[in-house]
Amino acid sequence: MGLRMRKVRALLSALGISVGVATLILVTAVPASSQQALLNRLTALGTDRLKAQPLVPEGQKPIELPSQAADMAARIGPVTATSEVANTHRSVRRTEAGNPDDTAALTVLATRPNLLDLVGGSVHTGHFIDARTAALPTAVLGYQAAGTLGFSRLAVGEDAPLLRLGDRWFTVTGILDPMPLDPDLELSVFVGWSAAQHYLSFDGHPTVVYAKAPDSAIDSVKSVLAATVYPPLPSFVSVTNPSDALKAQRAARSTYSTLYVALAGIALAVGGIGVANTMYISVLERRREIGLRRALGAGRGHIRGQFLTESVVLTLLGACGGAAIGTTCATAYAVLQGWPVVIPLGMFAGGVGASLAVGVLAGVYPAVSASRLTPTEALATT
């Protein structure tokens, strides 16, 4: 009843709480969205994968990884995916009479269908090797390999071009987009694992094993990957270190806008002072009402409950309004910036909960003051 009689004052007090809650959500959601966008970019740089391959000792042949190396790596607990490639040591020619020296920089790699998903590659034209074509004499070109061979794209409706790999003709079914993080793959011609074994006399031993794991587990996976893929001599296996991008990613995760949260807390406190002021003035203005209620039998608990309830309702209205405003503004800003929308639920719930706590604390003193008024003292007030 008191809030309905003083709508403007109640609205302004609730607005103070709204500003505090909206500020709290904005100053946590906007940095969180920005941080997630940065983390997504860093993850695209390969921070979640490792690459194991044999070392080449001077004057010696490199070791051969077991044919089950990728399956062995997949058994490491945090590893979520593995793939592998193998150098078939076959020449690449566009014609039967072509000079292999012209394409000596190109490597014919046997690969698994899931390679692109693991290394973050994409197809420029055509399609990559899949379960259906893995055993067929089909080939996919890396971006630079395609340029070296004189291909830019595969024309739809025309016969697919042929390449001679070793002593066998292969049909070109795809060209990949650039992969600047894996230049070796850009200079490669990919064939299916089974096709390489059948048509190119490939022995089944991989030369590179890729393993993917959460960023938080990369270090632990790295420490055991070499011993897993080649138990006899793990020191003869090179495992890529987490890149500088991973270090930057971890630094981004550890950075938090403490100053912004402190500012939001100040805004909440200011809103709480506004609520306390409204409720205390309400006690002074409503003394006759309080006295009348006491004279009609209302106890001190009833009076305290009335003013505390009004304080909580006022604060709750402000908190809900602030949460809606903050969420809407944070979402709109993230969408405009092209960031993923991230609203920290902890801060959302914390903002509403903190504002309710502020409302209760702000209403305690006015409620106690109102309950202490005797009926005669309250009714005598002019």
Side-chain angles (χ1 to χ4, degrees):
M1 180 178 178
L3 299 182
R4 291 198 301 268
M5 292 174 60
R6 299 162 181 82
K7 294 180 181 179
V8 176
R9 183 184 296 166
L11 179 62
L12 292 176
S13 298
L15 184 61
I17 291 292
S18 296
V19 170
V21 175
T23 303
L24 182 63
I25 293 176
L26 272 172
V27 301
T28 53
V30 170
S33 297
S34 173
Q35 182 189 61
Q36 189 60 51
L38 174 61
L39 294 178
N40 290 345
R41 290 185 180 183
L42 293 175
T43 298
L45 298 179
T47 60
D48 59 348
R49 75 172 187 262
L50 294 171
K51 183 168 67 173
Q53 58 189 53
L55 292 170
V56 184
E58 188 175 351
Q60 301 180 36
K61 291 181 62 177
I63 62 169
E64 284 189 340
L65 296 178
S67 56
Q68 304 85 9
D71 292 334
M72 295 159 67
R75 298 191 189 103
I76 301 173
V79 171
T80 57
T82 61
S83 193
E84 55 192 342
V85 296
N87 190 342
T88 63
H89 302 286
R90 294 293 182 266
S91 61
V92 181
R93 289 176 291 175
R94 286 203 60 174
T95 65
E96 190 170 359
N99 186 354
D101 291 338
D102 294 340
T103 54
L106 305 185
T107 305
V108 180
L109 294 180
T111 188
R112 301 292 187 181
N114 69 337
L115 176 69
L116 281 193
D117 291 336
L118 199 140
V119 300
S122 58
V123 177
H124 178 68
T125 182
H127 57 82
F128 193 64
I129 296 161
D130 54 27
R132 181 177 55 85
T133 60
L136 301 177
T138 59
V140 176
L141 308 180
Y143 188 78
Q144 292 191 34
T148 300
L149 293 167
F151 298 111
S152 58
R153 62 182 300 104
L154 302 180
V156 179
E158 297 182 8
D159 292 338
L162 299 177
L163 280 182
R164 193 167 181 83
L165 306 182
D167 296 324
R168 178 79 191 199
W169 289 105
F170 278 68
T171 302
V172 178
T173 59
I175 297 173
L176 301 183
D177 284 319
M179 289 188 286
L181 296 177
D182 292 288
D184 293 342
L185 298 183
E186 288 197 8
L187 285 165
S188 300
V189 177
F190 301 92
V191 299
W193 201 267
S194 300
Q197 291 177 315
H198 183 72
Y199 298 108
L200 302 178
S201 301
F202 167 53
D203 60 8
H205 292 279
T207 49
V208 179
V209 173
Y210 297 91
K212 190 173 185 178
D215 300 326
S216 58
I218 281 291
D219 288 337
S220 60
V221 173
K222 176 182 177 293
S223 66
V224 299
L225 185 57
T228 301
V229 298
Y230 196 71
L233 291 170
S235 59
F236 279 62
V237 176
S238 170
V239 178
T240 55
N241 290 314
S243 64
D244 290 338
L246 179 57
K247 297 175 184 177
Q249 188 184 62
R250 289 172 176 169
R253 278 204 175 99
S254 64
T255 303
Y256 196 74
S257 303
T258 306
L259 175 61
Y260 293 152
V261 176
L263 290 175
I266 293 172
L268 274 177
V270 171
I273 293 172
V275 172
N277 179 67
T278 297
M279 298 312 299
Y280 185 72
I281 297 299
S282 179
V283 171
L284 297 178
E285 293 179 344
R286 296 163 63 189
R287 284 189 171 190
R288 294 182 63 84
E289 174 193 333
I290 295 169
L292 181 60
R293 290 197 62 200
R294 291 295 307 277
L296 293 176
R300 290 187 175 183
H302 296 98
I303 302 299
R304 284 195 299 267
Q306 175 188 352
F307 281 86
L308 275 176
T309 300
E310 290 183 7
S311 177
V312 170
V313 169
L314 186 64
T315 306
L316 185 59
L317 290 175
C320 292
I325 294 170
T327 301
T328 301
C329 292
T331 300
Y333 187 81
V335 171
L336 287 174
Q337 295 296 323
W339 298 338
V341 178
V342 179
I343 306 295
L345 295 180
M347 286 300 173
F348 188 95
V352 175
S355 63
L356 286 177
V358 167
V360 171
L361 292 175
V364 167
Y365 179 71
V368 171
S369 298
S371 67
R372 287 178 176 173
L373 290 174
T374 64
T376 54
E377 180 184 7
L379 289 172
T381 302
T382 57

